[in-house]
Amino acid sequence: MQYQAIVRKFGPAPEVVGIERTELPALRSDQVRVRLLARSINPSDIITISGAYAGRTTLPFIPGFEAFGVVEACGEEVYGLAPGSRVLPVRSAGGWQEFKDTDPSWCLRVPDALSDFEAATSYVNPMTAWLMLHKKIGLKPGMRIAVNAAASSIGSILIGLANAVGVEPVAIVRSEESVARLRGRLEAVIVDRADGDLAVGLAGRHGLDAVLDCVGGAHAGHLAAALKPGGHFVHYGLLSGQSIQPSFWASHPDIVFSYFHLREWVHSETMDHVQRAYAEVAAQLAAEVIATEVRAVFPLEKIGQALHSALPFRAGGKVLLA
């Protein structure tokens, strides 16, 4: 028997995620069974539970895109993994349960240098940040970049990775409380509390090489205006709940606009390539170049309490299920 968090209808996560006890199925000969030890609650989980991706999500389902565990058992056709291996099963949801049966080729190898909690937060945000900086914008010394929601978990990681190559970002936050949570070396801090704050804060800071935007909405135009011709605008989240308006495209033909979604990247690459990228990220974590704050830990069977604690995500720090 095992505990599983189950979604049987779409809606607000605290209302629709339930906990159930189920029998473990027989392990397939070509799969591994991973005993999951620690799991993150991420915005991507909440968005999926809401039904935003209903067209590609079949009910009922087990949420959780980021979970760390240890291989418990291997099918007789499995090679290259053995019981006791530390892994992150990726390319599918299903992390909010005690055991996950999965394709062994979808298991990222986790180095012993990472603790269980570090491992459980080493994939979604760190991989997204590293890939955007190094694959999307080609981060190098001397570049000038801006990061909004800069006091969030991923904002902190973006700042740390930028600092590692000598880049000091412009950090954009929503409150003085967020300013207090900022870490790392920064070119400037802009507190975007009310209409006009962002435009005023960016005045005189034009010529940016890149903007990393996870907020969306009307402020995208102010950020785009601060980019130099040919600058990169990478949009990877929608914390505001407001899409970027179509007029954005017509009014900014001189910038390079792109989306980034980790799920799409992972599904488009070979797992060897994904493993190499993850090894780069894990090395940054092991060297303490980047880190993720864990502010609360709940047992899986207390999923309702965990979700209430995790939301809203602007509160800072990760909530784990362990």
Side-chain angles (χ1 to χ4, degrees):
M1 298 289 289
Q2 70 159 329
Y3 281 114
Q4 293 178 326
I6 301 287
V7 175
R8 297 193 176 277
K9 65 177 181 179
F10 296 119
E15 298 175 18
V16 301
V17 179
I19 197 78
E20 298 180 10
R21 288 278 278 171
T22 61
E23 295 281 351
L24 283 169
L27 181 63
R28 279 176 28 186
S29 62
D30 61 345
Q31 290 190 325
V32 294
R33 174 162 293 161
V34 180
R35 178 187 292 272
L36 298 171
L37 303 176
R39 313 149 189 87
S40 288
I41 299 176
N42 289 302
S44 55
D45 301 314
I46 305 306
I47 292 169
T48 302
I49 293 165
S50 75
Y53 306 134
R56 67 188 191 203
T57 307
T58 302
L59 293 169
F61 73 98
I62 301 166
F65 290 108
E66 185 174 40
F68 162 76
V70 173
V71 174
E72 178 89 354
C74 300
E76 57 266 29
E77 298 177 25
V78 171
Y79 301 93
L81 275 181
S85 300
R86 307 177 80 232
V87 296
L88 280 164
V90 298
R91 277 192 169 175
S92 65
W96 295 359
Q97 56 184 326
E98 291 186 272
F99 296 92
K100 183 177 181 179
D101 294 353
T102 188
D103 185 329
S105 68
W106 293 2
C107 290
L108 297 177
R109 277 63 166 178
V110 176
D112 291 341
L114 300 187
S115 70
D116 291 1
F117 286 1
E118 287 173 328
T121 56
S122 66
Y123 176 62
V124 171
N125 282 345
M127 283 278 282
T128 297
W130 190 87
L131 289 163
M132 288 193 301
L133 291 174
H134 292 283
K135 300 300 182 183
K136 277 284 187 181
I137 71 170
L139 183 69
K140 58 187 176 184
M143 291 182 73
R144 297 179 62 237
I145 68 174
V147 176
N148 58 15
S152 66
S153 294
I154 193 168
S156 175
I157 291 167
L158 285 164
I159 293 167
L161 290 173
N163 287 173
V165 300
V167 172
E168 299 181 358
V170 174
I172 302 165
V173 296
R174 295 286 290 176
S175 66
E176 295 297 337
E177 179 186 355
S178 295
V179 172
R181 293 201 308 270
L182 287 171
R183 299 290 182 270
R185 303 187 308 278
L186 300 166
E187 175 183 326
V189 177
I190 299 171
V191 182
D192 181 20
R193 283 177 296 235
D195 288 347
D197 286 351
L198 184 57
V200 171
L202 288 170
R205 298 197 180 279
H206 291 70
L208 296 175
D209 294 282
V211 164
L212 301 165
D213 167 52
C214 66
V215 176
H219 287 184
H222 298 306
L223 293 168
L227 285 166
K228 70 181 185 182
H232 289 266
F233 190 111
V234 183
H235 180 55
Y236 70 99
L238 205 61
L239 288 178
S240 68
Q242 301 173 359
S243 298
I244 296 175
Q245 296 302 307
S247 58
F248 178 91
W249 320 106
S251 58
H252 298 91
D254 58 340
I255 66 171
V256 180
F257 181 92
S258 61
Y259 293 96
F260 185 82
H261 298 292
L262 180 62
R263 180 185 184 276
E264 293 178 4
W265 183 86
V266 168
H267 281 266
S268 69
E269 299 290 336
T270 67
M271 281 306 294
D272 284 346
H273 193 182
V274 177
Q275 181 70 60
R276 285 196 295 273
Y278 178 72
E280 295 274 1
V281 168
Q284 299 293 310
L285 287 160
E288 300 182 354
V289 172
I290 56 176
T292 297
E293 175 193 355
V294 175
R295 63 180 173 87
V297 181
F298 293 84
L300 179 61
E301 55 269 33
K302 301 294 184 182
I303 183 66
Q305 294 179 30
L307 289 167
H308 280 292
S309 177
L311 301 172
F313 287 103
R314 289 185 184 276
K318 283 288 184 184
V319 173
L320 302 187
L321 300 162

